[in-house]
């Protein structure tokens, strides 16, 4: 064999290198969580008999030699698994034979597969917690997942999973807290739910998709109807397993919350139960160590645990788990956690490098304006402090939540502008400072800070500006003035940076005036060909073309024509050349100009006829009326306008002031037409364009990290 199998069943360990076996080879009970009454009986792992080892070595050689027909493969795998009966633990945890066992489990039929799993059900946790055995367990679960759609095999698979579930819930602590076992357990949970075992949403860590959902760039997958993506599952087994694990680990829950591996298991379980409010209302309070008596009375959160729980949120493992809890919690439980657990601790947690992610999750999943009002009371005046500490994610989450709930929007814009510069300073510095947040706030003398040439732009700063440019133009005038006041060299550098390019695109798609947009476009003249050669820059070039005047469009077309050969060889080039109709411009410039002119004329006529009208359905549509403003902000904005008017030479009398205020309200009411006007523009562009919508472009857009 060359090596003797020395793999042991790892017990609970925070350090992966900690051994769970003693010198005799017996498995030690969990060193932290169990007493003698609830620990598993010690298991002695036997050595594989020489004859058995030789048999499986011959099987391995047979498969490696490619001497097995496809029709014979299943039969040979089944016979070999019969030989493994009663020896599953030793074979699965053997460094060499485990590889052969994986091949057999992958190639056998469902009856042999379930027979093997039923035979080793009692020692399945031991196999799952071994470095080699965990791969065997994973392979067996993946094989089951392939057969689960077979209705004839569904019953035997269900019986097999049920048997393993009953074994796991007897003592789940060691399995949950083991680096190998926790991974197998998460796959097992996914199989019970009917989702792919390698699903990044349920099995992976937080990624760009979660950030996109948090900042309103993507609809949450929990809000979508994902049931169609699920395979055949066993929901009652999922509930049985999760509730069994949580209830059996109640006494050890405090230490498990701060353990890396058990936290991952609980995160997966909660994500899979998202939408099942009844089950979540029973499980989450137990995870947060609430008393059974409180649950019976309907009190989800015990005030006794507040201080201890808030402190635990500063631990990496529990902060990740708490993010998921806030994401999936039913509304009543979310309210309880907010008011009893997190209220008055938001700035303290925001100041911590782990705790701030809990606050971001709380903000991102706020349900009501009243909740946002309480959040704003604690954090609204702390923008500068948060940015000084590098907590820009809190700011981005606040802006996104204010947009989603239609509250405190003007206050957000004003607070951010104040945080990156005093009122005495020129507002032209706002956008550059946000683009380089870390550079600006780490500078010893902020008044002498300058644009750091060649430095990468800040990811979260880019996201914040993209969100800001979604607000109404009258609220973001300092930002509009700042970006249009940027020097030509700075605009070009921003356009070449993928993060800066997103900001420019957001500005060009904003509610700013056409004059302001074209003022920025003209600063890129002479560099459109260079930008088009970059994947991110090509999108910026297209946006510039869409908002530019006829002369600017022709200038862009001529620059692209000069690099047409090289551009056509890039991934994005063919689409851009086709979109801007560069071939027509090359062969017949007059016809190209005529087509653009007729398109613009038709748009103007269409807009004049249908654009300004606001239908009742548009007014009642909450999605389209994104520009609505709450009463307090309206009064504040009007107050600021009245205050500024008092600085003029003459003071308006009461009558004229009242008329001006009424006029302002009518203007704000008509803002609901903005989004419908954009829809009109899209309709015109569609009907006047030659051909169908470009599917390749749609696919390329999805690939971009729009955040």
């Amino acid at each position: 064999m060359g090596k003797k199998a020395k793999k042991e069943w790892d017990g609970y360990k925070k350090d992966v290198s900690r051994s769970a076996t003693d010198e005799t080879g017996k498995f030690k009970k969990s060193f932290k969580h169990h007493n003698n009454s609830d620990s598993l009986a010690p298991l002695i792992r036997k050595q594989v008999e020489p004859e058995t080892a030789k048999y499986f070595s011959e099987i391995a050689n047979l498969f490696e030699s490619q001497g097995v027909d496809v029709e014979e493969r299943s039969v040979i795998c089944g016979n070999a698994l019969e030989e493994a009966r009663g020896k599953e633990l030793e074979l699965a945890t053997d460094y060499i034979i485990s590889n052969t066992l994986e091949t057999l489990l992958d190639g056998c039929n469902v009856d042999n597969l379930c027979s093997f799993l039923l035979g080793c059900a009692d020692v399945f946790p031991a196999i799952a917690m071994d470095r080699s055995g965990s791969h065997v367990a994973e392979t067996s679960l993946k094989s089951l997942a392939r057969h689960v759609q077979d209705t004839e095999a569904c019953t035997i698979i269900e019986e097999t999973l049920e048997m393993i579930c009953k074994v796991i819930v007897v003592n789940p602590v060691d399995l949950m807290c083991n680096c190998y076992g926790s991974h197998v357990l998460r796959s097992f949970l996914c199989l019970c739910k009917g989702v792919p075992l390698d699903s990044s949403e349920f099995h992976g860590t937080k990624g760009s998709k979660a950030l996109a959902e948090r900042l309103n760039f993507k609809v949450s997958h929990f809000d979508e109807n994902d049931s169609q993506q699920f395979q055949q599952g066993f929901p009652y087994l999922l509930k049985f397993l999760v509730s069994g694990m949580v209830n059996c680990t109640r006494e050890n829950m405090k230490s498990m919350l701060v353990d890396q591996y058990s936290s991952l298991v609980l995160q997966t379980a909660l994500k899979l139960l998202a939408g099942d409010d009844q089950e979540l209302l029973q499980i989450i309070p137990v995870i947060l160590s609430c008393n059974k008596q409180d649950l019976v009375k309907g009190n989800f959160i015990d005030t006794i645990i507040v201080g201890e729980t808030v402190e635990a949120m500063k631990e990496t493992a529990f902060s990740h788990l708490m993010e998921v809890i806030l994401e999936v919690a039913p509304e009543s439980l979310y309210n309880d956690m907010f008011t009893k657990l997190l209220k008055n601790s938001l700035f303290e947690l925001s100041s911590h490098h782990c705790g701030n992610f809990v606050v971001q999750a709380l903000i991102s999943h706020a349900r009501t304006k009243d909740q946002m009002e309480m959040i704003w009371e604690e954090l609204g005046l702390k923008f500068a402090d948060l940015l000084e500490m590098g907590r820009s994610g809190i700011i981005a989450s606040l802006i996104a939540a204010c947009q989603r709930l239609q509250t405190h929007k003007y206050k957000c814009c004003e607070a951010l502008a104040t945080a990156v510069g005093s009122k005495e300073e020129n507002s032209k510095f706002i956008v550059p400072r946000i683009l380089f947040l870390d550079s600006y706030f780490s500078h010893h003398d902020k008044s002498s800070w300058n644009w750091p040439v060649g430095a990468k732009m800040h990811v979260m700063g880019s996201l914040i500006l993209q969100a800001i440019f979604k607000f109404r133009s009258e609220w973001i005038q300092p930002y509009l003035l700042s970006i249009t006041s940027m020097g030509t060299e700075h605009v070009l550098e921003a356009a070449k940076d993928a993060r800066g390019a997103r900001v420019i695109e957001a500005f060009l798609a904003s509610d700013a005036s056409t004059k302001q947009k074209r003022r920025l476009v003209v600063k890129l003249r002479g560099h459109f060909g260079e930008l088009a050669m970059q994947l991110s820059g090509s999108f910026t070039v297209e946006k510039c073309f869409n908002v530019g005047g006829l002369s600017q469009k022709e200038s862009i077309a001529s620059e692209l024509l000069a690099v047409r050969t090289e551009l056509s060889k890039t991934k994005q080039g063919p689409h851009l050349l086709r979109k801007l109709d560069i071939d027509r411009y090359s062969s017949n410039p007059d016809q190209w100009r005529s087509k653009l002119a007729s398109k613009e004329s038709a748009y103007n006529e269409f807009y004049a006829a249908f654009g300004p009208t606001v239908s009742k359905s548009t007014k009642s549509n909450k999605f389209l009326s994104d520009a609505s403003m709450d009463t307090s902000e309206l009064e504040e904005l009007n107050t600021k306008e009245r205050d500024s008017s008092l600085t003029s030479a003459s003071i308006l009398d009461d009558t004229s002031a009242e008329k001006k205020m009424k006029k302002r309200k009518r203007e704000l009411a008509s803002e609901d037409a903005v989004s419908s006007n954009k829809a009109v523009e899209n309709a015109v562009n569609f009907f006047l364009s030659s051909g169908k919508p470009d599917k390749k472009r749609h696919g390329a857009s999805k690939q971009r990290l729009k955040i």
Side-chain angles (χ1 to χ4, degrees):
M1 295 288 291
K3 290 184 181 179
K4 290 185 178 180
K6 296 180 180 180
K7 303 302 138 194
E8 310 290 351
W9 177 15
D10 295 331
Y12 169 64
K13 55 190 178 183
K14 289 186 177 179
D15 185 354
V16 174
S17 64
R18 185 189 296 273
S19 173
T21 59
D22 56 25
E23 292 78 8
T24 65
K26 294 184 178 181
F27 295 102
K28 295 190 294 186
K29 58 190 176 185
S30 179
F31 65 90
K32 188 172 182 180
H33 298 296
H34 289 294
N35 53 37
N36 292 331
S37 61
D38 62 1
S39 61
L40 288 173
L43 295 175
I44 300 177
R45 182 187 167 281
K46 301 176 182 178
Q47 294 289 335
V48 179
E49 296 177 357
E51 292 182 2
T52 304
K54 182 180 178 181
Y55 172 79
F56 281 96
S57 177
E58 293 174 353
I59 293 292
N61 292 334
L62 182 63
F63 283 117
E64 289 175 3
S65 65
Q66 305 294 328
V68 181
D69 294 335
V70 177
E71 297 177 357
E72 298 177 350
R73 185 180 183 88
S74 178
V75 177
I76 294 175
C77 290
N79 292 338
L81 289 176
E82 284 293 325
E83 184 66 24
R85 182 172 295 178
K87 311 166 191 173
E88 293 90 354
L89 176 61
E90 297 89 285
L91 297 175
T93 55
D94 184 274
Y95 184 72
I96 303 296
I97 301 177
S98 62
N99 293 307
T100 307
L101 207 55
E102 288 182 56
T103 304
L104 297 175
L105 292 169
D106 187 58
C108 68
N109 60 41
V110 67
D111 292 326
N112 294 128
L113 177 61
C114 291
S115 177
F116 174 85
L117 286 172
L118 288 171
C120 67
D122 290 339
V123 292
F124 185 84
I127 293 174
M129 287 189 284
D130 180 81
R131 189 176 71 176
S132 298
S134 62
H135 292 284
V136 175
E138 285 275 357
T139 301
S140 65
L141 295 179
K142 289 178 181 178
S143 296
L144 278 180
R146 289 200 303 270
H147 292 290
V148 79
Q149 296 300 327
D150 185 358
T151 54
E152 295 181 358
C154 191
T155 302
I156 189 173
I157 292 175
E158 186 174 5
E159 292 174 355
T160 303
L161 294 177
E162 184 175 3
M163 181 66 71
I164 297 175
C165 283
K166 291 178 179 178
V167 174
I168 292 174
V169 297
V170 171
N171 190 340
V173 177
D174 286 335
L175 186 62
M176 294 174 67
C177 297
N178 179 270
C179 62
Y180 307 119
S182 64
H183 195 278
V184 174
L185 186 52
R186 287 150 64 197
S187 295
F188 193 93
L189 290 167
C190 289
L191 180 59
C192 291
K193 178 66 174 180
V195 301
L197 271 60
D198 56 352
S199 171
S200 60
E201 292 184 3
F202 300 100
H203 207 300
T205 54
K206 183 176 62 178
S208 60
K209 183 178 290 187
L211 182 60
E213 292 172 359
R214 182 166 292 180
L215 300 182
N216 296 342
F217 289 100
K218 183 181 184 298
V219 177
S220 172
H221 60 274
F222 295 126
D223 295 332
E224 297 172 344
N225 184 13
D226 282 349
S227 59
Q228 295 179 354
Q229 301 175 9
F230 293 167
Q231 303 172 354
Q232 170 68 37
F234 309 96
Y236 86 93
L237 283 180
L238 175 67
K239 295 178 183 179
F240 170 77
L241 180 56
V242 175
S243 61
M245 288 192 305
V246 170
N247 289 324
C248 290
T249 56
R250 185 189 292 265
E251 295 180 1
N252 306 308
M253 190 59 73
K254 289 182 181 179
S255 55
M256 293 183 68
L257 293 179
V258 296
D259 178 76
Q260 175 186 354
Y261 304 114
S262 59
S263 173
L264 288 171
V265 173
L266 292 172
Q267 289 175 51
T268 298
L270 292 174
K271 289 178 182 178
L272 292 171
L273 289 172
D276 190 342
D277 291 357
Q278 185 176 358
E279 196 71 20
L280 291 170
L281 287 173
Q282 296 297 319
I283 291 174
I284 293 177
V286 176
I287 293 176
L288 297 178
S289 303
C290 296
N291 296 323
K292 291 182 180 179
Q293 294 80 1
D294 292 328
L295 293 179
V296 174
K297 296 177 182 178
N299 298 324
F300 302 117
I301 303 299
D302 189 347
T303 54
I304 299 176
I305 67 167
V306 171
E308 188 177 8
T309 305
V310 170
E311 197 63 29
M313 291 178 196
K314 299 176 183 178
E315 296 286 338
T316 303
F318 186 46
S319 68
H320 286 310
L321 176 58
M322 197 65 198
E323 287 183 67
V324 177
I325 289 175
L326 290 167
E327 184 176 7
V328 304
E331 185 171 354
S332 57
L333 181 55
Y334 177 92
N335 292 336
D336 227 25
M337 288 190 291
F338 187 11
T339 55
K340 296 181 180 179
L341 194 60
L342 293 166
K343 189 179 178 183
N344 300 324
S345 300
L346 297 187
F347 186 70
E348 176 191 348
L349 286 171
S350 298
S351 306
H352 193 269
H353 67 279
C354 290
N356 81 92
F357 291 103
V358 177
V359 179
Q360 290 185 45
L362 176 77
I363 296 170
S364 300
H365 297 96
R367 269 68 166 184
T368 65
K369 292 183 179 181
D370 291 337
Q371 291 170 351
M372 277 306 303
E373 179 64 37
M374 290 189 286
I375 293 172
W376 188 264
E377 287 177 2
E378 294 190 49
L379 300 177
L381 300 179
K382 304 289 187 180
F383 274 42
D385 297 328
L386 292 169
L387 292 174
E388 286 276 2
M389 294 184 291
R391 307 292 178 248
S392 53
I394 300 286
I395 307 297
S397 298
L398 272 170
I399 294 172
C402 288
Q403 284 180 336
R404 176 170 53 84
L405 295 174
Q406 297 294 297
T407 182
H408 293 82
K409 294 176 289 186
Y410 174 72
K411 291 180 180 179
C412 266
C413 300
E414 186 181 40
L416 178 60
T418 304
V420 295
S422 63
K423 293 183 178 180
E424 292 76 18
E425 286 184 304
N426 195 318
S427 59
K428 70 178 183 179
F429 300 113
I430 292 177
V431 169
R433 288 174 179 177
I434 297 176
L435 282 174
F436 297 98
L437 275 177
D438 285 347
S439 173
Y440 173 69
F441 280 98
S442 62
H443 201 271
H444 63 282
D445 183 11
K446 293 182 176 57
S447 61
S448 63
W449 180 87
N450 289 312
W451 182 287
V453 179
K456 279 193 173 183
M457 296 180 181
H458 196 267
V459 174
M460 202 58 70
S462 171
L463 295 173
I464 289 173
L465 286 172
Q466 290 177 58
I468 285 292
F469 285 124
K470 292 180 181 179
F471 287 118
R472 276 209 216 125
S473 59
E474 65 259 29
W475 297 342
I476 57 173
Q477 284 301 318
Y479 301 89
L480 299 178
L481 175 62
S482 178
I483 195 170
T484 53
S485 300
M486 286 168 54
T488 302
E489 68 281 5
H490 294 161
V491 174
L492 178 60
E493 188 173 342
K496 289 181 178 180
D497 187 290
R499 298 156 186 173
R502 303 294 186 276
V503 174
I504 291 176
E505 292 169 30
F507 164 72
L508 294 176
S510 71
D511 195 25
S513 66
T514 303
K515 183 178 180 180
Q516 288 174 312
K517 294 177 182 179
R518 291 177 179 176
R519 191 184 303 166
L520 183 74
V521 172
V522 75
K523 295 180 181 181
L524 293 173
R525 180 178 294 174
H527 300 282
F528 291 110
E530 178 185 0
L531 291 174
M533 296 297 293
Q534 302 176 358
L535 181 59
S536 60
S538 66
F539 290 90
T540 307
V541 172
E542 186 177 336
K543 291 281 187 183
C544 290
F545 185 86
N546 291 337
V547 303
L550 185 59
S551 61
Q552 288 178 326
K553 292 180 191 292
E554 186 166 0
S555 175
I556 294 172
S558 64
E559 291 186 40
L560 296 190
L561 180 60
V563 296
R564 177 170 59 173
T565 303
E566 295 82 3
L567 185 59
S568 62
K569 298 176 183 178
T570 64
K571 181 180 179 180
Q572 71 281 0
H575 162 77
L576 188 60
L577 293 170
R578 184 172 61 255
K579 187 77 174 179
L580 274 57
D581 204 5
I582 301 302
D583 289 339
R584 188 192 301 271
Y585 177 76
S586 173
S587 60
N588 195 335
D590 292 335
Q591 188 181 21
W592 182 86
R593 295 187 195 97
S594 176
K595 182 181 177 182
L596 283 181
S598 62
K599 179 179 178 180
E600 186 172 354
S601 175
Y603 168 74
N604 291 334
E605 292 177 6
F606 196 96
Y607 183 87
F610 304 103
T613 59
V614 182
S615 65
K616 293 181 180 180
S617 60
T618 302
K619 290 182 178 180
S620 62
N621 191 321
K622 293 182 179 180
F623 178 77
L624 292 178
S625 61
D626 183 64
S628 61
M629 188 180 193
D630 61 32
T631 307
S632 61
E633 288 183 301
L634 180 61
E635 292 175 353
E636 179 179 339
L637 189 57
N638 287 329
T639 301
K640 289 181 179 291
E641 291 177 344
R642 289 196 302 272
D643 291 343
S644 63
S645 67
L646 291 175
T647 60
S648 59
S650 60
I651 301 175
L652 296 173
D653 57 33
D654 293 340
T655 305
S656 61
E658 184 177 357
K659 289 181 178 178
K660 184 176 181 180
M661 193 168 180
K662 288 182 178 179
K663 180 181 178 182
R664 179 64 183 143
K665 287 182 178 180
R666 287 195 300 271
E667 291 174 353
L668 290 171
S670 67
E671 289 292 338
D672 287 338
V674 171
S675 54
S676 61
N677 291 340
K678 289 183 178 179
V680 170
E681 180 179 355
N682 292 336
V684 173
N685 290 334
F686 174 78
F687 287 112
L688 291 177
S689 61
S690 57
K692 299 179 180 179
D694 195 330
K695 294 184 178 179
K696 291 185 179 179
R697 166 65 168 174
H698 182 63
S701 299
K702 282 189 173 180
Q703 292 177 3
R704 299 179 71 213
L705 182 60
K706 291 301 289 182
I707 60 172

